[in-house]
């Protein structure tokens, strides 16, 4: 379905009365939504919001705007979808055709089904359906193609003891290989298990470079997966099926070590200069969530065994999935010990590794090395198997793909909004702005990034509205990306997420690859959005309002405007109006209120959704900043003595907490504000730069003790037997980023030198003796 025009709202010319309440029946109910899916035009709409507003063109809206059940399936294909709210006139209809080469069929009740084919991309995939044998495709919808590793166990087969599958042909690894799946999710009397292989062919980085899955006859591929299907469909391709995880095709080989040794010689070219550095500590990596996200295959909180990074916990650079690092979809996988120390490849084979193909893929997806999951397997995981797990060639792998240390890493910058609402800008300025309306938190022309928020009044414990407001919705878009909005749900007061103004379901899927961004939901109370530029947005619920955090990488310096200030390391110009005029430090709360009002959102550029008559009447057709709303300023706050005493005990010197208790009369609201403020402060501390001196090599003929290279860390040197240190036994990383001593030389000891000398003399004597004997033998002849 086409993405709706988010920048323009045609409703603006539609007159509505002053009375709140449900809308009248659409005046043009005879019109049709055929060929108009997503259309907003006029009072007769085919946009998703028309259902809640009662403005749909006619009863055929659900027929032409297709909904499917379930809404997601593996990008490997095999999922059976049912088209909801739609049936054909004839159960035997054979003219149903889907636009993305999906095998469609109609069941005995006339319900339309289709089976998802094998895809090479993840994320939202549009499709259309024809009922006239492909002559027209008026019905449109979208489905979510899911990365195989992000599926629930109900959705795929499981390789029992995956380590045994991977090491099966090596020494001391035998026994039966087992495969399991949930019978109810694939109802059939007999099954066939097929082996499929993945390969990439064509000239690299040319238009002919492409990815391909094939049914294996014979076994010639390096990456494979097992597919389980109904036996009666043995010869087919796109059919209901279960897939197992991708794995290295090795269990059929007789001499795995020799084969792996040969494959290890074919490593891809070096591309390390194209990649950004990892964060120096695990704390930094977790806080820098706009660019780094926990690797689901190596997550300490989920008890992962970290098969490919033993002893470490990995966080891959999610931004690289859209081409950071040379435009090829490359990525950086950063591993840390449990105490937060970065692991480097030169110290451990279970350490940080650069990735030629990011696991999440990158547009254009099907073109290598951007295929989600599979390109990463093909170029990165397999080479680790060849060189380090199957053949004794790991030093070659480690030398060819060393880890980037963190000397050039620069943490992202953080700004937040929370509570009543209070703002902490990118340059650290704190202020409170109690406006009622819709405002621009951030705009950055550099990447056409826009973050907008809606603020509404809170309510007192006894019912009436407060003179303070809080954020109830926030929306984000960058360039031509999808638009994601996170808002407070009316009934549950939890979070509700909208994609292009349509509510998303996270019943089965907590991860979503979207256009230009990656979206994840944690426990229903926190939403994280990672953008192509490396910018990030996090939204959570604290008390009655939203808490919003925005992270920007260093390239956004001097490119931001809005309520979150100008990012330039200079707090003096944080209160910059749209006109460019700067309010000086010490500006009064009343003047700051005018500053906030200046950053209202315009209807023509609004990203927010108006899918209820309350929102239409109060925000779409009213001034974006309500001039009649009278906020509460700090000088006007008063508390009765008993509440003041409790607030002082609760809030201490947190002026945001004290203000919110006074504004709402609620200690719980003050507590939520204090918690949100503390979370911001802790995250700011986590994002502080640290000094690294970089990797220090062990001495020749010796070893080093220690793998931490940050300021204040000390490395200890030791010699092999028969050698002694000629220089310092330790080296300390200094505050200026240099080591106090270089790696020492380790000459042989005096005893070893004597041995070498006497050994050399013995060799000379032996040679001389042989020479004499040969001369004598020659004379005798």
């Amino acid at each position: 379905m086409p993405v709706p025009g988010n920048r323009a709202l045609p409703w603006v010319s539609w007159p509505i009365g002053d009375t709140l309440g449900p809308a009248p029946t659409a005046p043009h109910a005879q019109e049709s939504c055929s060929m108009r899916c997503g259309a907003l035009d006029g009072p007769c709409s085919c946009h998703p919001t028309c259902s809640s507003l009662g403005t749909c063109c006619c009863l055929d809206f659900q027929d032409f705007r297709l909904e499917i059940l379930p809404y997601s399936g593996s990008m490997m294909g095999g999922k059976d979808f049912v088209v909801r709210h739609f049936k054909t006139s004839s159960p035997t209809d054979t003219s149903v055709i889907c636009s993305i080469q999906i095998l469609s069929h109609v069941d005995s009740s006339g319900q339309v089904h289709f089976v998802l084919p094998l895809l090479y991309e993840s994320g939202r995939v549009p499709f259309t359906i024809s009922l006239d044998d492909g002559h027209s495709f008026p019905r449109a919808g979208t489905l979510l193609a899911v990365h195989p590793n992000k599926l629930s166990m109900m959705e795929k087969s499981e390789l029992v003891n995956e380590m045994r599958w991977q090491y099966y042909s090596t020494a001391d690894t035998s026994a039966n290989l087992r495969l399991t799946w949930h019978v109810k999710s694939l109802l059939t009397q007999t099954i066939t298990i097929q082996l499929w292989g993945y390969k990439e062919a064509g000239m690299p980085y040319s238009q002919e470079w492409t990815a391909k899955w094939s049914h294996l006859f014979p076994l010639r591929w390096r990456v494979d997966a097992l597919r389980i299907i109904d036996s009666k469909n043995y010869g087919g391709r796109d059919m209901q099926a279960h897939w197992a995880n991708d794995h290295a095709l090795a269990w059929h080989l007789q001499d795995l070590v020799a084969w792996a040794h040969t494959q290890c010689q074919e490593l891809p070219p070096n591309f390390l200069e194209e990649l950004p550095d990892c964060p120096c500590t695990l704390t930094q990596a977790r806080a820098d969530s706009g660019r780094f996200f926990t690797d689901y295959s190596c997550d300490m909180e989920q008890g992962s065994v970290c098969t490919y990074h033993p002893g470490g916990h990995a966080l891959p650079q999610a931004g690289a999935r859209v081409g950071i690092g040379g435009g090829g979809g490359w990525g950086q996988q950063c591993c840390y010990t449990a105490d937060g120390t970065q692991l480097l490849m030169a110290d451990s084979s279970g350490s940080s590794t650069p990735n030629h193909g990011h696991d999440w893929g990158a547009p254009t997806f099907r073109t290598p090395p951007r295929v989600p999951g599979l390109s990463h397997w093909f170029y990165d995981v397999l080479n680790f198997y060849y060189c380090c797990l199957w053949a004794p060639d790991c030093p070659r792998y480690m030398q060819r793909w060393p880890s980037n240390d963190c000397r050039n890493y620069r943490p992202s910058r953080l700004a937040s909004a929370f509570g009543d609402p209070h703002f902490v800008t990118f340059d650290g300025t704190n202020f409170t702005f109690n406006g009622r309306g819709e405002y621009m938190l951030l705009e950055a022309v550099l990447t056409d990034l826009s973050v907008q928020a809606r603020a509404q009044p809170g309510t007192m414990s006894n019912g009436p509205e407060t003179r303070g407001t809080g954020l109830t919705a926030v929306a984000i878009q960058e360039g031509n990306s999808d638009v994601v909005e996170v808002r407070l749900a009316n009934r549950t007061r939890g979070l509700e997420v909208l994609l292009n103004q349509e509510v998303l379901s996270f019943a089965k899927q907590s991860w979503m690859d979207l256009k230009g961004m990656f979206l994840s939901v944690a426990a229903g109370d926190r939403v994280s959005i990672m953008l192509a530029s490396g910018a990030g947005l996090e939204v959570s619920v604290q008390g009655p309002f939203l808490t919003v955090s925005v992270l920007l990488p260093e390239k956004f310096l001097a490119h931001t405007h809005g309520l979150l200030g100008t990012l330039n390391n200079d707090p003096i110009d944080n209160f910059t109006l749209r006109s460019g005029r700067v309010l000086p430090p010490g500006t009064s709360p009343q003047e700051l209120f005018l500053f906030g009002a200046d950053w209202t959102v315009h209807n023509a550029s609004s990203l927010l959704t108006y899918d209820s008559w309350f929102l239409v009447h109060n925000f779409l057709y009213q001034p974006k900043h309500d001039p009649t709303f009278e906020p509460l300023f700090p000088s006007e706050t008063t508390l009765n003595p008993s509440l003041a005493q409790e607030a002082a005990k609760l809030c201490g010197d947190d002026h945001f907490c004290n203000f919110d208790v006074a504004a709402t009369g609620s200690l719980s609201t003050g507590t939520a504000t204090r918690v949100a403020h503390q979370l911001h402060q802790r995250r700011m501390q986590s994002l502080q730069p640290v000094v690294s001196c970089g990797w220090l090599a062990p001495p020749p003929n010796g070893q080093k003790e220690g793998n931490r290279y940050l300021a204040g860390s000390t490395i200890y040197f030791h010699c092999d037997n028969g050698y002694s240190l000629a220089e310092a036994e330790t080296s300390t990383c200094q505050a200026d980023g240099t080591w106090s001593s270089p790696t020492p030389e380790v000459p042989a000891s005096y005893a070893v030198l004597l041995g070498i000398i006497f050994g050399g003399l013995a060799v000379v004597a032996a040679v001389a003796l042989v020479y004499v004997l040969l001369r004598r033998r020659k004379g005798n002849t």
Side-chain angles (χ1 to χ4, degrees):
M1 182 168 58
V3 174
N6 300 293
R7 296 293 192 185
L9 298 173
W11 292 321
V12 173
S13 60
W14 177 18
I16 300 180
D18 296 332
T19 306
L20 296 177
T25 303
H28 301 287
Q30 72 276 10
E31 294 186 21
S32 173
C33 283
S34 176
M35 311 297 291
R36 297 181 57 211
C37 291
L40 278 163
D41 47 308
C44 177
S45 172
C46 293
H47 187 266
T49 56
C50 78
S51 293
S52 55
L53 292 175
T55 60
C56 297
C57 285
C58 59
L59 297 179
D60 72 358
F61 171 72
Q62 294 290 358
D63 291 342
F64 290 95
R65 180 183 162 273
L66 298 175
E67 293 184 26
I68 57 175
L69 187 70
Y71 65 89
S72 66
S74 171
M75 59 177 271
M76 300 295 291
K79 191 72 175 181
D80 181 62
F81 292 96
V82 177
V83 181
R84 303 181 65 193
H85 313 300
F86 176 73
K87 291 185 178 182
T88 65
S89 57
S90 171
T92 60
D93 194 342
T94 60
S95 62
V96 178
I97 298 176
C98 190
S99 60
I100 55 174
Q101 299 179 353
I102 295 175
L103 181 65
S104 305
H105 68 278
V106 179
D107 64 21
S108 59
S109 67
Q111 190 76 59
V112 176
H113 295 244
F114 62 83
V115 177
L116 188 64
L118 180 64
L119 301 175
Y120 294 83
E121 63 180 289
S122 59
R124 303 273 289 193
V125 179
F127 69 92
T128 55
I129 285 183
S130 169
L131 293 181
D132 55 9
D133 222 6
H135 294 290
S136 64
F137 290 83
R139 294 162 172 83
T142 59
L143 58 88
L144 179 65
V146 181
H147 189 296
N149 286 346
K150 300 172 188 175
L151 290 169
S152 69
M153 290 310 301
M154 284 291 294
E155 299 286 316
K156 60 183 179 181
S157 307
E158 180 183 6
L159 303 174
V160 179
N161 193 343
E162 197 162 350
M163 295 291 289
R164 180 176 292 162
W165 283 81
Q166 305 291 26
Y167 282 93
Y168 186 75
S169 295
T170 60
D172 303 321
T173 305
S174 57
N176 293 331
L177 299 176
R178 296 180 58 216
L179 178 70
T180 64
W181 65 94
H182 288 270
V183 177
K184 291 183 179 180
S185 58
L186 188 63
L187 296 175
T188 181
Q189 295 298 316
T190 59
I191 59 99
T192 295
I193 299 177
Q194 298 178 327
L195 182 65
W196 286 65
Y198 173 81
K199 67 178 181 179
E200 296 183 352
M203 180 68 70
Y205 299 102
S206 71
Q207 292 184 349
E208 290 74 32
W209 200 14
T210 188
K212 182 180 181 181
W213 275 103
S214 295
H215 193 183
L216 293 190
F217 295 109
L219 302 178
R220 290 194 303 263
W221 280 253
R222 300 178 183 180
V223 180
D224 75 330
L226 296 174
R227 187 176 82 157
I228 303 172
I229 61 170
D230 189 326
S231 292
K232 67 183 180 182
N233 295 325
Y234 180 79
R237 179 180 178 89
D238 298 328
M239 63 195 66
Q240 191 173 359
H242 263 320
W243 289 83
N245 286 343
D246 308 331
H247 62 280
L249 186 55
W251 39 266
H252 71 292
L253 297 172
Q254 297 298 317
D255 191 352
L256 175 61
V257 175
W259 180 74
H261 177 76
T262 301
Q263 302 302 317
C264 184
Q265 311 305 309
E266 302 177 5
L267 295 177
N270 194 316
F271 56 95
L272 297 180
E273 293 183 358
E274 304 289 342
L275 296 178
D277 281 5
C278 290
C280 292
T281 67
L282 179 61
T283 299
Q284 282 181 328
R286 289 195 177 281
D288 199 350
S289 60
R291 294 183 288 172
F292 296 87
F293 202 87
T294 303
D295 185 349
Y296 34 75
S297 68
C298 192
D299 183 0
M300 67 175 71
E301 296 177 353
Q302 301 299 323
S304 300
V305 296
C306 296
T307 304
Y308 314 111
H309 302 272
H313 302 285
L315 290 141
Q317 178 159 357
R321 72 195 246 276
V322 291
I324 290 179
W330 303 334
Q332 186 74 272
Q333 196 164 33
C334 309
C335 296
Y336 303 86
T337 60
D339 67 357
T341 300
Q342 185 190 8
L343 285 171
L344 300 181
M345 180 62 73
D347 295 328
S348 167
S349 61
S351 66
S352 307
T353 53
N355 291 330
H356 191 274
H358 196 284
D359 187 37
W360 296 354
T364 54
F365 289 112
R366 181 159 186 163
T367 304
R370 302 174 178 88
V371 182
L374 301 172
S375 288
H376 175 56
W377 259 93
F378 195 78
Y379 293 103
D380 304 311
V381 180
L382 279 183
N383 283 310
F384 182 77
Y385 272 101
Y386 298 150
C387 302
C388 295
L389 297 186
W390 292 338
D393 291 337
C394 209
R396 171 181 171 82
Y397 175 89
M398 294 166 69
Q399 182 180 13
R400 186 65 176 273
W401 282 351
S403 310
N404 295 62
D405 59 33
C406 66
R407 282 175 292 179
N408 295 319
Y409 168 71
R410 300 292 181 269
S412 290
R413 303 294 292 272
L414 175 68
S416 296
F418 50 85
D420 206 33
H422 313 290
F423 299 84
V424 183
T425 69
F426 290 106
D427 291 337
T429 301
N430 300 342
F431 71 99
T432 297
F433 167 60
N434 279 151
R436 181 191 183 280
E438 295 173 350
Y439 306 94
M440 186 71 72
L441 297 185
L442 168 69
E443 66 176 11
V445 178
L446 178 70
T447 62
D448 195 18
L449 171 62
S450 177
V451 183
Q452 303 173 5
R454 178 180 294 139
Q456 295 176 248
T459 55
M460 303 289 286
S461 57
N462 55 353
E465 287 189 346
T466 68
R467 291 177 61 191
T469 59
L471 302 185
T472 58
V474 60
I476 187 169
Q477 183 181 36
E478 185 173 53
N480 65 345
S481 76
D482 285 327
V483 177
V484 170
E485 179 179 348
V486 185
R487 67 186 184 187
L488 287 173
N490 290 330
R491 296 181 180 178
T492 64
R493 301 305 290 177
L495 292 181
E496 189 173 63
V497 183
L498 295 87
L499 174 64
N500 300 324
Q501 303 184 342
E502 186 173 4
V503 176
L504 284 176
S505 169
F506 289 91
K508 292 182 176 292
Q509 194 66 35
S510 61
W511 312 58
M512 289 190 185
D513 289 294
L514 305 176
K515 183 181 179 182
M517 61 178 65
F518 173 78
L519 170 69
S520 67
V521 175
D525 61 358
R526 187 175 75 252
V527 175
S528 298
I529 299 168
M530 308 173 75
L531 299 173
S533 63
L537 174 73
E538 285 198 3
V539 184
S540 61
V541 180
Q542 294 288 348
F545 299 120
L546 299 179
T547 289
V548 178
S549 297
V550 181
L551 293 128
L552 296 180
E554 196 173 51
K555 69 181 181 183
F556 281 89
L557 278 170
H559 290 289
T560 72
H561 301 285
L563 293 183
L564 296 180
T566 305
L567 172 57
N568 61 359
N569 299 320
D570 185 3
I572 198 169
D573 60 355
N574 274 281
F575 304 133
T576 301
L577 302 174
R578 272 196 162 105
S579 65
R581 185 168 70 92
V582 178
L583 302 182
T587 296
S588 69
Q590 287 77 6
E591 291 175 299
L592 286 179
F593 187 74
L594 298 178
F595 159 74
D598 187 58
W599 282 105
T600 53
V601 172
H602 303 302
N603 271 338
S605 59
S606 176
L607 304 178
L608 295 158
T609 303
Y610 309 94
D611 57 353
S612 71
W613 288 105
F614 173 83
L615 294 175
V616 168
H617 283 296
N618 286 275
F619 292 97
L620 184 62
Y621 289 105
Q622 295 295 329
K624 289 298 186 182
H625 171 74
D626 185 353
T628 66
F629 182 76
E630 297 182 3
L632 183 70
F633 295 111
S635 59
E636 302 172 356
T637 59
T638 57
L639 289 171
N640 63 62
S642 61
L643 187 59
Q645 186 176 5
E646 292 184 77
K649 183 178 179 181
L650 169 69
C651 300
D653 59 356
D654 190 324
H655 57 284
F656 289 154
C657 173
N658 281 294
F659 178 88
D660 285 3
V661 172
T664 65
S666 168
L667 290 171
S668 63
T669 299
T671 299
T673 298
R674 178 174 58 85
V675 170
H677 193 192
Q678 289 174 342
L679 289 173
H680 171 87
Q681 292 170 324
R682 283 198 292 269
R683 193 166 199 172
M684 283 292 297
Q685 185 61 39
S686 298
L687 288 169
Q688 290 304 303
V690 297
V691 174
S692 172
C693 294
W695 181 73
L696 192 62
N701 303 310
Q703 306 89 37
K704 70 176 185 181
E705 180 183 337
N707 60 1
R708 190 174 177 87
Y709 307 113
L710 305 183
S713 302
T714 299
I715 301 294
Y716 299 86
F717 302 106
H718 306 286
C719 298
D720 295 338
N721 290 334
Y723 295 84
S724 61
L725 286 170
E727 301 172 45
E729 295 183 353
T730 64
S731 185
T732 300
C733 180
Q734 303 173 118
D736 63 356
T738 62
W739 289 104
S740 60
S741 303
T743 298
E745 296 294 329
V746 185
S749 65
Y750 181 69
V752 171
L753 288 174
L754 287 178
I756 293 173
I757 293 172
F758 284 118
L761 291 174
V763 171
V764 172
V767 171
L769 178 60
V770 171
Y771 176 77
V772 170
L773 291 175
L774 289 174
R775 293 285 294 178
R776 286 181 179 178
R777 183 179 180 185
K778 184 177 182 181
N780 292 335
T781 59

